[in-house]
Amino acid sequence: MDNNQKMLNRIRVVLDFLVLVGAFFLTYGLFFHVFPANSLFGGTFSPPEVTAKDYLNAVFYTVPVHMVLYAFFRLYKPMRLTGRRVEALKIFLANLFSVVGIMVVFWLFIKPYRNHFSSMFLFEFGFLNTILIVLERNLVRLVVVNAMKKGFNTRNILLVGKSDACKGLVKRIDANPRWAYKIYGLLDDTATEDTIYGVTKLGTLTDLSSILAKNEVDEVYVTLPLAEYEKLQYVVKACEKAGVLTKFVPDYGKLMSSRPYTEDL
């Protein structure tokens, strides 16, 4: 699972890079060769201060700055943690800060660009790039969702404890397939039924270590009722020993993570 996520992140970085470069040269073509030179969206060169080559060389400044801002806005964390609208907003903000930052850098440190590089060119690039990156991200999301239906990049989670918190968590997972969580099973010391909230009971808490030893569980969600919280220490120690991420879902429904191991986002 973690290897799949790392591979997906690398693919997203490469795609973003290609879209950024493509958007820059597309902007160059539109700005200088399609839109009229005296219009709001068109322009001309200002030789000898700034030539066509100077504009083309600006790609070596604009693309790295955008990539750094994308990482800063955490646009490469798992898609299950970010919705489409939030991601689009982050892309817009990252592009806006990038364009403004590049303008400041050009004005302060790059003399040929100081008074002769078109600000409208940069804003036009930012606008076009935002549209293309959002489209690219949604296309990737569509492909990944279809792949998840076939089992790619899903996380197997084990529930520990029958409670209202457990019931609520099962409902939320079922209602949010984009999270790509697959419930591996449930452990409980008191329940006698074989199926709890639609989840197969695999045994009691004493079976936890043997189940984790199979290396088939990615995360353990502790959903113990308040009356059984004395068992927390045992569960955490077993998860730490197996190197499995542990998350707590208290019986009052507030989700918070323990950090015996930090998840690679």
Side-chain angles (χ1 to χ4, degrees):
M1 167 61 199
D2 290 334
N3 290 334
N4 289 341
Q5 185 61 54
K6 290 178 180 178
M7 180 181 69
L8 179 58
N9 285 344
R10 294 190 185 103
I11 292 173
R12 292 160 74 190
V13 169
V14 171
L15 289 176
D16 283 351
F17 175 82
L18 294 176
V19 171
L20 279 163
V21 173
F24 183 90
F25 287 110
L26 180 58
T27 302
Y28 178 88
L30 292 173
F31 193 78
F32 293 112
H33 301 293
V34 175
F35 295 122
N38 58 350
S39 69
L40 178 63
F41 301 107
T44 58
F45 306 114
S46 304
E49 291 84 359
V50 178
T51 63
K53 183 179 179 180
D54 292 323
Y55 268 94
L56 292 174
N57 285 340
V59 72
F60 296 109
Y61 301 100
T62 56
V63 171
V65 170
H66 278 74
M67 295 297 292
V68 169
L69 265 293
Y70 287 176
F72 177 80
F73 278 88
R74 303 192 70 189
L75 285 169
Y76 298 110
K77 69 180 183 179
M79 287 184 292
R80 65 169 59 87
L81 304 177
T82 307
R84 286 187 176 88
R85 294 180 181 178
V86 173
E87 184 176 62
L89 177 61
K90 288 184 175 182
I91 291 171
F92 169 78
L93 291 175
N95 285 342
L96 178 62
F97 280 105
S98 295
V99 168
V100 173
I102 292 167
M103 290 173 59
V104 172
V105 170
F106 281 2
W107 191 84
L108 290 177
F109 303 108
I110 305 178
K111 188 175 180 180
Y113 292 162
R114 183 170 299 170
N115 298 314
H116 302 281
F117 196 96
S118 173
S119 299
M120 182 52 66
F121 177 90
L122 290 175
F123 279 110
E124 193 170 317
F125 163 68
F127 174 77
L128 184 61
N129 178 59
T130 298
I131 294 176
L132 293 178
I133 289 289
V134 169
L135 290 175
E136 172 242 312
R137 287 303 187 96
N138 278 280
L139 180 60
V140 171
R141 189 182 293 268
L142 180 62
V143 172
V144 170
V145 168
N146 288 332
M148 285 176 177
K149 294 178 180 178
K150 300 178 181 180
F152 174 81
N153 209 38
T154 56
R155 294 189 76 85
N156 287 327
I157 67 170
L158 178 67
L159 307 180
V160 177
K162 175 185 176 182
S163 64
D164 289 339
C166 178
K167 182 179 181 180
L169 179 60
V170 171
K171 287 183 177 180
R172 290 196 297 274
I173 291 173
D174 289 341
N176 292 276
R178 69 178 178 85
W179 291 353
Y181 283 140
K182 180 181 179 181
I183 300 179
Y184 184 81
L186 185 148
L187 299 179
D188 187 81
D189 286 340
T190 59
T192 57
E193 57 266 47
D194 295 330
T195 302
I196 304 170
Y197 311 133
V199 179
T200 302
K201 180 185 175 183
L202 302 178
T204 63
L205 268 65
T206 56
D207 299 309
L208 178 59
S209 295
S210 60
I211 291 176
L212 295 181
K214 298 178 182 179
N215 293 320
E216 296 177 349
V217 174
D218 297 299
E219 299 178 12
V220 170
Y221 276 73
V222 182
T223 55
L224 290 167
L226 291 175
E228 297 183 33
Y229 263 37
E230 72 276 0
K231 302 174 183 178
L232 277 176
Q233 185 176 6
Y234 169 78
V235 175
V236 171
K237 284 185 176 181
C239 292
E240 286 179 340
K241 184 177 180 180
V244 177
L245 182 69
T246 312
K247 294 185 177 180
F248 297 107
V249 187
D251 206 14
Y252 48 85
K254 181 180 178 183
L255 177 64
M256 55 185 178
S257 300
S258 69
R259 296 182 181 271
Y261 292 86
T262 303
E263 183 178 16
D264 181 12
L265 297 178

